[in-house]
Each structure stands twice: as structure tokens, then as C-alpha cells.
Amino acid sequence: SLIKPGSKPPTTPVKLKKVSTFQEFESNTSDAWDLGDDDDELLAIAAENLNTDVVMETAHKVIQNHSKLQEQHKFQEEHLQEEKQVESAELTSIACGDNRLVKSVSEGHTSSSSDNASENSSMQRSQSLPQTSTPPLVSGMADYNTSVTPALTEREASRLDKFKQLLAGPNTNLEELRKLSWSGIPKRVRPIAWKLLSGYLPANVDRRESTLKRKRKEYFAFVEQYYDSRNDENHQDTYRQIHIDIPRMSPEVLRLQPKVTEIFERILFIWAIRHPASGYVQGINDLVTPFFVVFVCEYIEEEEVENFDVSSLPEEVLQDIEADSYWCMSKLLDGIQDNYTFAQPGIQKKVKMLEELVSRIDEQVHRHLDQHEVKYLQFAFRWMNNLLMREVPLRCTIRLWDTYQSEPEGFSHFHLYVCAAFLVRWRKEILEEKDFQELLIFLQNLPTVHWGNEEVSVLLAEAYRLKFAFADAPNHYKK
């Protein structure tokens, strides 16, 4: 279900007898109402043999009922009465003037969210479409993985139960955890899931507590050994750069808290001292934030973590969060350290691979960028250096990382395909820009502020499709 096929499979034409009533047409084509990508094609075939007068009469009745529903939806009694009228109307399909079929009135008319909800409910009862328990995805949600609702939906509760069952055993099956986590991890179990997926915690439950104690103690031994050296002359440049970069991080409310600044400075300085091959490089500071925010969620109930006063947590809890964030960030950087060594060869290579990939999947976009002399390094360097963290809201980054930690080489290899899908996602806007400066400004300030689960899910599905098509096809990948 993650792969969106580029072309539809051939369908068997539906041969229909001449019908005179809409009810006869519905019964004769009931097999065409199964959910799937072939709905529109089957309906288009059916429309050729459909009595136009019957359809237009039915459509007129539906539109009249819908208009009444819009005017009266504020009043409960009138709303219930109107819903019965909608249920009795023929809502299976509407033939439009341009021969295009739409399955519901809401596809042809704009209505409020409450209208859509009541209409979809009545449609499911009146049509022969099967019921679906999948809830609509809401973008811009406060919760990082689920839409903002007072309680978990049935689907979310079911997914949470699957995670709890998997994590409850004496030895967690990491392969199963990766499969389950690919589509997103519920917020309640994300801290433990991330620690397992990153390799920080062992799969064996009995060993976890001792591992945490040992690794946390080890981290603070590093702090005691190295942190005072930040004032030494040979480490001044490193510490100064960290001190400059932290106030640039996102989210703003979180980075302005002195306690958070103090924790991040320690984490980054200790990592830089212990990794002299690269040292501290601008961009590494962003990679601490998702881990820190997720691990804070383990101890608080607030939805908006960005607005939470971190200093209100007990000191021992903050120390645990700091050590866990350090080790998980270190595990991540182990896989992409060539991104941050001298001259950052890993990023240079990935940007070149992105350019080659885009030239294959969307030659028009690639040619448009080339014609306007826009170089991929000018916008994609940051995409690789910060793993798209500066391009999408933090909630989207956390959702992306659910999948990255579930994929083999997710932060290095799969991220390339996410970037390709991300660029092509804006093809319409890119092709409309005819000026170098405007094109570059757009690519460096993409309008994702309201993005949420839905947009990220589509992006990841497209990235998976690209990986499936190109990762094992080097002749199609390289020029």
C-alpha cells in the first residue's frame, strides 16, 4: 500500500444492458463500487450506457438537498431532518456537464468540515461503498503522530496496542518493530521505540535498565572529563561556534530556555571532542532537537512540547534526557559522519546523486533549474546537512525520523529519495518561476509551515516508490 503505481493495471470492461432507472443501473454496476484506483475508470465506462435524463434529475435532487443542508446545519433538529432527506436521495454518482463523474456532492461543492462529516456519514449508508475505519488525517496537528482529538481513534488505539504487545515481550523483535514503525510511531511509545531502533537499547528487556544506567554514567564521566576544557585555547573556536548556532535552532520558544541551551551546549561539545575527525560542524546542532523533544515527552503530558518549561522537570530526569539524547544522536551521526568531515564530501556526493536522480524522474523540472542556472548545491546542501529540518516543521521531522529509523540506512540512503520526492512535490511552482532570484528564494523558503501527517505520509510513499524503482537499477540512475 506504500507504493503508488505509476500506471493502473488493465481493467475488465463492464458490459451493461440498457437501463431506464437509476436503481437498475446501480444494481447492475454494484461490483464497480469497490474502493480502489479503478473507480473512476469503471464509472466512466458505465456512464456511456446511463440514461442522461435520469442522472440529471437525480443530480438536481442531490444538489437541492445539499443546499438545504448547508443553510440549516446549525440547528440540530433541522440537521437530523435534513440528513434523512440526504439519505433518501440517490447519491451514488452525479454526471456533470463536462462528462466527469464525481462520487459525492462534496467533490463538486465546497462545504464546511461539519457538512463534510455528516455528508460522508450519510453517503456511506446510502451507497454500496464498504465502510472504512481509517480516520481523516489532519495537517498542522499539535501531536507529532496523530491528529488532534480528545481521545485516540479506533485505528490509533489499535496501532498503539500492536506496539505495546510487541514491546511487552522479553525480547523485542526489531525487524517487526521496524515494519510497524515505518508508518509512524504513536507518541506514547515513541521514546522507547526510538531508543530501540537507534541501537541505543538492547532488544532484551532484562538488559535495558542496566544498559541505561551504564550509558548515562558513561556520558557524565565524559562531561566531567572534557567539559571544563571548553575554555582552553585549542577548543575556543569549537565552543564559540556551538554557542552561536544554538540560538538559531527551531523551535524558538524551546531554544530560548537557558536550561535547554546549557544541555545542548554540553551534548554538542562532548560529541565534538570525542570525534576529532570531524569536530563540530554547523548543522549538527539541529540533530539533537528531535531526540530531546521526544525524550521530554516521556515525562510530560502536554501536547505542545515547544511551550513546556523544561526547567520544571527534576534534575535527575533532565540528566537522563540529556544522556539519552547524546547517545542516540551519536548513533545517527555514526551513519552519516562523512557529511561533516573536512569539505563535507558526503553532502557533496549526495547533492550530485540528487541532481542525477531528479534528471531521471522529472526531466522538465531538472531542465528548468538548469536553464535558469540554479545549482542544486544552492538549495539542497541544507537539505542534506540538516536532514530537511529547516524545510519542514518539527512535528514533520519527528514523523520522518520514525521512518528513517525503520529503513536500512534511512538517514543516509533513503533520505536521498525523500529529497527527490520533496523537490518534485513543488514542480508546478518551480515551473511557474521564470527568474533565477525568485526561483532560488522559493526553493530556500518552501511553504510547509502548515504541513502535518498527511503531507509527510504522501512524501514518504513517493520516496519509497522512487527507491523501489531506482535503488537497484544503476543503469537508470547514473548518466
Side-chain angles (χ1 to χ4, degrees), residues 91-202:
L91 282 171
T92 47
S93 65
I94 302 168
C96 298
D98 60 353
N99 294 326
R100 181 175 59 88
L101 289 176
V102 289
K103 295 181 190 174
S104 69
V105 181
S106 61
E107 290 181 28
H109 301 271
T110 304
S111 60
S112 66
S113 59
S114 58
D115 288 337
N116 286 335
S118 61
E119 185 180 338
N120 289 337
S121 176
S122 61
M123 281 174 60
Q124 286 179 339
R125 288 190 292 270
S126 63
Q127 292 181 339
S128 54
L129 281 168
Q131 294 277 354
T132 174
S133 60
T134 304
L137 293 166
V138 181
S139 57
M141 72 292 281
D143 183 71
Y144 295 122
N145 190 46
T146 58
S147 55
V148 180
T149 52
L152 292 176
T153 65
E154 184 180 344
R155 179 175 178 272
E156 292 162 355
S158 174
R159 277 183 57 77
L160 181 60
D161 285 342
K162 289 180 181 178
F163 273 94
K164 286 182 175 179
Q165 289 172 18
L166 188 58
L167 295 168
N171 286 284
T172 302
N173 186 324
L174 295 180
E175 188 58 36
E176 288 301 315
L177 181 61
R178 289 188 188 97
K179 289 179 183 177
L180 199 55
S181 300
W182 205 101
S183 301
I185 305 172
K187 183 180 177 182
R188 298 180 190 180
V189 294
R190 184 177 275 132
I192 181 69
W194 275 26
K195 290 171 187 175
L196 286 165
L197 291 171
S198 67
Y200 174 46
L201 279 186

Side-chain angles (χ1 to χ4, degrees), residues 56-113:
M56 294 308 297
E57 180 183 352
T58 305
H60 184 64
K61 287 168 62 180
V62 171
I63 293 170
Q64 280 186 328
N65 288 331
H66 181 66
S67 299
K68 291 179 183 178
L69 184 61
Q70 277 189 308
E71 295 172 1
Q72 300 173 1
H73 74 278
K74 291 183 180 180
F75 303 96
Q76 185 65 26
E77 291 182 2
E78 294 176 351
H79 172 76
L80 292 173
Q81 180 183 358
E82 202 63 30
E83 183 176 311
K84 292 179 181 178
Q85 294 175 6
V86 174
E87 285 183 49
S88 64
E90 302 293 342
L91 282 171
T92 47
S93 65
I94 302 168
C96 298
D98 60 353
N99 294 326
R100 181 175 59 88
L101 289 176
V102 289
K103 295 181 190 174
S104 69
V105 181
S106 61
E107 290 181 28
H109 301 271
T110 304
S111 60
S112 66
S113 59

Side-chain angles (χ1 to χ4, degrees), residues 261-297:
T261 300
E262 177 188 330
I263 290 171
F264 277 45
E265 283 181 0
R266 272 199 300 269
I267 290 173
L268 294 169
F269 185 77
I270 298 303
W271 190 88
I273 294 300
R274 287 188 49 76
H275 295 80
S278 62
Y280 175 76
V281 176
Q282 195 172 9
I284 294 177
N285 55 305
D286 282 329
L287 306 184
V288 183
T289 309
F291 291 115
F292 182 79
V293 169
V294 166
F295 297 154
V296 165
C297 289

Side-chain angles (χ1 to χ4, degrees), residues 373-387:
E373 299 182 346
V374 175
K375 306 299 181 186
Y376 282 73
L377 270 173
Q378 292 172 316
F379 61 89
F381 183 90
R382 190 172 72 183
W383 296 9
M384 302 300 177
N385 191 53
N386 303 85
L387 298 177

Side-chain angles (χ1 to χ4, degrees), residues 8 10 12 34 44 75 118 121 152 178 226 245 249 286 301 313 324 335 451 475:
K8 298 180 180 178
T12 304
D34 293 330
F75 303 96
S118 61
S121 176
L152 292 176
R178 289 188 188 97
Y226 299 116
D245 287 348
M249 295 191 312
D286 282 329
E301 296 296 329
L313 288 171
D324 294 347
W451 270 33
N475 290 335

Side-chain angles (χ1 to χ4, degrees), residues 277-278 281 335-354 377 381 384-385 412:
S278 62
V281 176
I336 57 172
Q337 193 167 348
D338 62 339
N339 284 9
Y340 304 104
T341 52
F342 179 73
Q344 299 182 262
I347 291 179
Q348 306 256 6
K349 181 181 177 182
K350 289 184 178 72
V351 171
K352 182 62 178 175
M353 291 170 71
L354 175 66
L377 270 173
F381 183 90
M384 302 300 177
N385 191 53
S412 55

